[in-house]
């Protein structure tokens, strides 16, 4: 059985937990936990304000985090805005860019595969501006294809809002090609990268995406921190959403001016410990190598798929997954009943609609169970999951489901 060299870095895995809920949030390695503790125990001071050592060190680490992240996604420094997470990043674009640039008759193009944090802000913008939300028809497998995208985009399309990886199916969307097509129509592309950044190399310059959003907590980092990448000319053109400390350049009695991006978007005291933790998370991903993470996870996923292929009474909704996600139901068993069985065995899966109701409507189901294989999972975890799946099917059958 292949040894897992990374499991020891994740203290939470020292108990009986079999963690397959990494798409909801990832576990945190010791190096991240230590950096967050270091800030809280030894610095715990605000940034950009104090002249004393602790404040200056915190400021230095905060800005070093921006540099690390900018390099990681191949962005310029002023294009990396810290936010509370993907949801905040996507709302920032919708409110700050969308509300000010869309007009009646304009179209926003998205898909039924999106997470609610991509769809709902743009529904709000559509209602406020008179623009219309349109959906790219999905293939039978539930994929966004270039053909369907090309058929759906038109001269009225001003914004395309699309995930890089779906949080229900785990498919990778052909972002680079879609961005090229969207730009021919003069539309900007907002990419939800929440499920991509921890699995695949992201080069925002090569993708040519206009905006790219992601969360720290899904990429080994702390909660409460995320990133909005935006092309600098677009960020320059956007108004801040929040007004207050640190973002103002000059303040008079009746008016004020604001600093340049990214500072104008980071009003008030930011989650400094989480930013510093995110830097450690990116360093961990870089040191481990996204390719190694991908290769190990793929081998383990293939092992899982091979082990479950003959099990009847499981319905899988994604036949394959680029990011090792498996979404399924036990036949005739509501997902919330099934999840209780797995939880008792300390298997962490997720039940429900995963904040993506429209794809469940598309699949004709109310809810599903979702698991993800990530690089800290072991072959023993997968064996135990498969054993438990078989037991669960039997258990619910005996109960008459
Ligand atoms: C594809 C996708 N987009 C957006 C989000 C929202 O992320 P957060 O809750 O970190 O803001 C998630 C989280 O589940 C997601 O999977």
């Amino acid at each position: 059985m292949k040894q897992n060299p990374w499991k020891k870095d994740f203290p939470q895995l020292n108990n009986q937990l079999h963690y397959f809920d990494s798409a909801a949030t990832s576990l945190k390695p010791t190096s991240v936990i230590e950096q967050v503790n270091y800030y809280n125990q030894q610095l715990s001071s605000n940034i950009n304000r104090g002249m004393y050592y602790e404040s200056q060190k915190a400021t230095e680490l905060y800005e070093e985090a921006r540099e690390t992240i900018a390099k990681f996604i191949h962005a310029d420094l002023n294009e990396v805005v810290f936010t509370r997470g993907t949801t905040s990043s996507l709302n920032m674009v919708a409110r700050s860019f969308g509300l000010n640039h869309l007009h009646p008759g304009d179209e926003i193009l998205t898909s039924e595969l999106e997470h609610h944090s991509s769809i709902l802000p743009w529904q709000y913008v559509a209602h406020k501006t008179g623009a219309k939300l349109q959906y790219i028809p999905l293939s039978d497998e539930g994929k966004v294809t270039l053909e369907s995208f090309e058929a759906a985009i038109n001269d009225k399309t001003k914004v395309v809002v699309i995930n890089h990886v779906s949080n229900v199916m785990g498919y990778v969307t052909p972002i680079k090609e879609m961005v090229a097509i969207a730009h021919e129509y003069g539309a900007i592309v907002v990419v939800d990268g929440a499920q991509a950044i921890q699995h695949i190399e992201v080069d925002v310059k090569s993708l040519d995406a206009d905006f790219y959003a992601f969360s720290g907590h899904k990429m080994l980092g702390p909660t409460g921190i995320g990133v909005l990448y935006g092309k600098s000319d677009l960020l320059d053109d956007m108004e801040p959403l929040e007004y207050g400390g640190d973002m103002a350049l000059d303040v008079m009695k009746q008016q004020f001016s604001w600093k340049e991006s990214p500072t104008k978007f980071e009003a008030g005291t930011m989650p400094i410990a989480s930013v510093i933790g995110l830097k450690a998370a990116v360093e961990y991903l870089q040191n481990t190598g996204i390719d190694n993470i991908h290769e190990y996870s793929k081998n383990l996923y293939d092992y899982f798929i091979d082990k479950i292929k003959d099990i009847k009474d499981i319905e899988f909704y994604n036949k394959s997954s680029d990011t090792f996600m498996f979404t399924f139901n036990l036949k005739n068993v509501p997902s919330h009943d099934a999840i209780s069985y797995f939880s008792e065995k300390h298997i962490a899966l997720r039940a429900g609609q995963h904040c993506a109701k429209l794809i469940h409507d598309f699949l004709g189901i109310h809810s599903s169970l979702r698991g993800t294989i990530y690089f800290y999972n072991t072959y023993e975890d997968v064996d135990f999951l498969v054993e438990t799946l078989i037991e669960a099917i039997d258990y619910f059958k005996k109960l008459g489901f």
Side-chain angles (χ1 to χ4, degrees), residues 23-24 84-88 90 113-118 163 165-167 192-195 214-218 225 350 354-355 370:
R84 191 172 54 78
T86 308
T87 304
S88 291
L90 293 172
L113 258 187
E114 303 313 307
H115 189 277
H116 294 163
S117 61
S118 267
N163 65 73
V165 170
S166 150
N167 74 316
D192 170 356
Q195 296 292 345
F214 53 94
S215 298
H217 70 96
K218 292 183 197 282
I225 182 65
R350 174 149 169 191
H354 326 305
C355 305
R370 181 189 69 187

Side-chain angles (χ1 to χ4, degrees), residues 223-368:
T223 53
I225 182 65
V227 170
L228 174 66
Y229 157 81
K231 284 186 177 163
S232 56
D233 56 331
L234 292 170
L235 291 176
D236 287 347
D237 197 28
M238 279 162 54
E239 290 180 3
L241 269 192
E242 291 187 324
Y243 301 93
D246 243 18
M247 55 79 68
L249 186 63
D250 191 14
V251 178
M252 292 142 281
K253 273 191 172 163
Q254 302 299 334
Q255 64 198 52
F256 70 96
S257 56
W258 53 65
K259 292 179 186 158
E260 297 193 333
S261 174
T263 317
K264 72 176 180 182
F265 297 110
E266 296 175 7
T269 300
M270 294 292 286
I272 305 164
S274 296
V275 171
I276 292 171
L278 180 58
K279 173 177 183 283
V282 170
E283 285 164 355
Y284 186 96
L285 288 170
Q286 284 170 324
N287 292 339
T288 309
I290 290 278
D291 287 351
N292 294 330
I293 288 174
H294 193 86
E295 194 192 332
Y296 176 88
S297 309
K298 181 175 180 349
N299 288 338
L300 190 51
Y301 173 76
D302 289 346
Y303 175 78
F304 170 66
I305 295 296
D306 192 53
K307 285 199 92 165
I308 44 122
K309 68 177 186 305
D310 297 326
I311 304 178
K312 296 201 175 54
D313 297 318
I314 301 183
E315 198 164 0
F316 283 93
Y317 302 109
N318 52 348
K319 300 280 177 276
S320 67
S321 168
D322 306 306
T323 53
F324 324 120
M325 196 177 277
F326 45 99
T327 301
F328 66 102
N329 274 314
L330 304 186
K331 269 197 190 132
N332 305 324
V333 185
S335 66
H336 282 101
D337 289 305
I339 198 74
S340 56
Y341 191 90
F342 294 103
S343 302
E344 273 189 20
K345 306 273 176 182
H346 305 284
I347 292 178
L349 292 166
R350 174 149 169 191
Q353 297 179 330
H354 326 305
C355 305
K357 174 165 181 286
L358 297 187
I359 187 63
H360 284 81
D361 290 346
F362 174 88
L363 293 167
I365 53 174
H366 176 263
S367 64
S368 59

Side-chain angles (χ1 to χ4, degrees), residues 27-61:
L27 300 180
K28 288 50 172 149
T30 307
S31 59
V32 169
I33 297 164
E34 281 176 357
Q35 277 300 296
V36 172
N37 287 347
Y38 166 64
Y39 170 79
N40 284 322
Q41 287 171 357
Q42 298 193 42
L43 301 179
S44 197
S45 48
N46 220 321
I47 55 167
N48 298 332
R49 288 163 207 185
M51 287 303 287
Y52 49 95
Y53 169 80
E54 286 77 4
S55 172
Q56 297 219 325
K57 184 71 187 166
T59 307
E60 197 182 300
L61 288 174

Side-chain angles (χ1 to χ4, degrees), residues 40 58 64 69 93 114 146-147 149 181 206 213 230 263 280-281 330 355 378:
N40 284 322
E64 274 176 24
I69 290 151
V93 181
E114 303 313 307
L146 281 181
E147 294 69 40
F149 177 61
I181 295 165
S206 155
T263 317
L330 304 186
C355 305
T378 62

